[in-house]
Amino acid sequence: MNDMGLIVRTLARATIPLIGIFGAYIVSHGHLTPGGGFQGGATIAGAGILFLIAFGLEEAKKRINKNLYSALEGIGGLVFLGAAMLGLSVAFFYNLLWHKGPILNGHPGSLLSAGYLPIMNLAVGLKVFTGLVSALMAIALYRRWQK
Amino acid sequence: MKKALAFLSLLVIFAALLLATHPDYGIKFGLSGKDWLKYRYTDQYYIEHGIEEVGGTNIVTDIVFDYRGYDTLGEATVLFTAIAGAIALLRPWRRDENE
C-alpha cells in the first residue's frame, strides 16, 4: 500500500543484509577499530529503517514485534550492567575479564581481548538498534494527521 | 522590546564566548609539546596506559566503557528514557480508538 516501487524494494533486499553485516562488524570490533556499540547499533537501525521505508508500514508491522523489541532493549541494558558488575569484588566497572578472565584476555588487538568491552559493545548495540527501530515504528504508526 | 533584549543578551554572551576562545586570553587550540603535557596530561595517561590496563586497542572505547563507564551507563539510560518517553507519548489516544 504505502511501499516503494519495484526497483527500490529489490535494491533494499540486496542492501539490508549488507548494512546489517557492516553494523555487526562495527559492533563486534568496537574494541579494535573506530566505532562501537552506539555507532554500530545506529547503523543496523538504519537497515531496519530502510526496511520500514522500502516495504511499507504494513509489512513492517507484521515483522516487528513490539514486545520482543521492548524486551530486547531492556535485556541489552541489563547485560551492560551485568558486565559492569562482574568485578564488583574490586570496584564497579572493574575489568575483571581482562585481568584474569577465562576467554576475553587475549593479546591486545585480537578479537577475544579487552575483557568485558566486546560484551558491553554487543549489549549497547542491541539496545540502540532495538530502541531506535521501536521509536521509528512508534513515529511511523502515529498517523493522526489523516483525519 | 522583550525580543530585542533577548537578542542583545545573546550578542553579549556570544562576544564573551568569542573572547574566551581567543588564544591570547582564553583557551588554546592545537596544543603540542610542553602545552600538551601541561593541559592534556589526562589524555597522555590514557594513551600511554590504555592498552595495558583495559586491553582494547581503540582508546576511545577503553575510555568510554572502562575508565568512564558510569558516563556510558548514564548515556544508555538517557537513550532508554528517551525511547520510552517517545513511545509512551506516541501511543494512540483514547479519543482516536473510539472513532
Side-chain angles (χ1 to χ4, degrees), chain B residues 12-72:
Chain B
V12 169
I13 293 168
F14 184 63
L17 286 177
L18 271 185
L19 197 67
T21 51
H22 193 277
D24 289 349
Y25 311 105
I27 60 172
K28 297 179 179 65
F29 295 97
L31 294 172
S32 63
K34 222 177 252 175
D35 279 349
W36 174 265
L37 291 177
K38 189 180 169 193
Y39 295 110
R40 297 283 183 267
Y41 48 90
T42 329
D43 300 7
Q44 189 63 34
Y45 179 85
Y46 289 145
I47 291 166
E48 278 171 0
H49 299 86
I51 290 175
E52 64 185 77
E53 283 186 357
V54 184
T57 48
N58 185 352
I59 302 291
V60 177
T61 307
D62 289 353
I63 295 170
V64 159
F65 282 125
D66 189 282
Y67 288 115
R68 299 180 180 183
Y70 280 104
D71 187 71
T72 311

Side-chain angles (χ1 to χ4, degrees), chain A residues 30-31 33 92 95 98 121 144, chain B residues 52 57-58 61 65 70 96:
Chain A
H31 53 298
T33 54
F92 199 49
N95 202 340
W98 167 245
N121 270 319
R144 294 201 306 122
Chain B
E52 64 185 77
T57 48
N58 185 352
T61 307
F65 282 125
Y70 280 104
D96 300 341

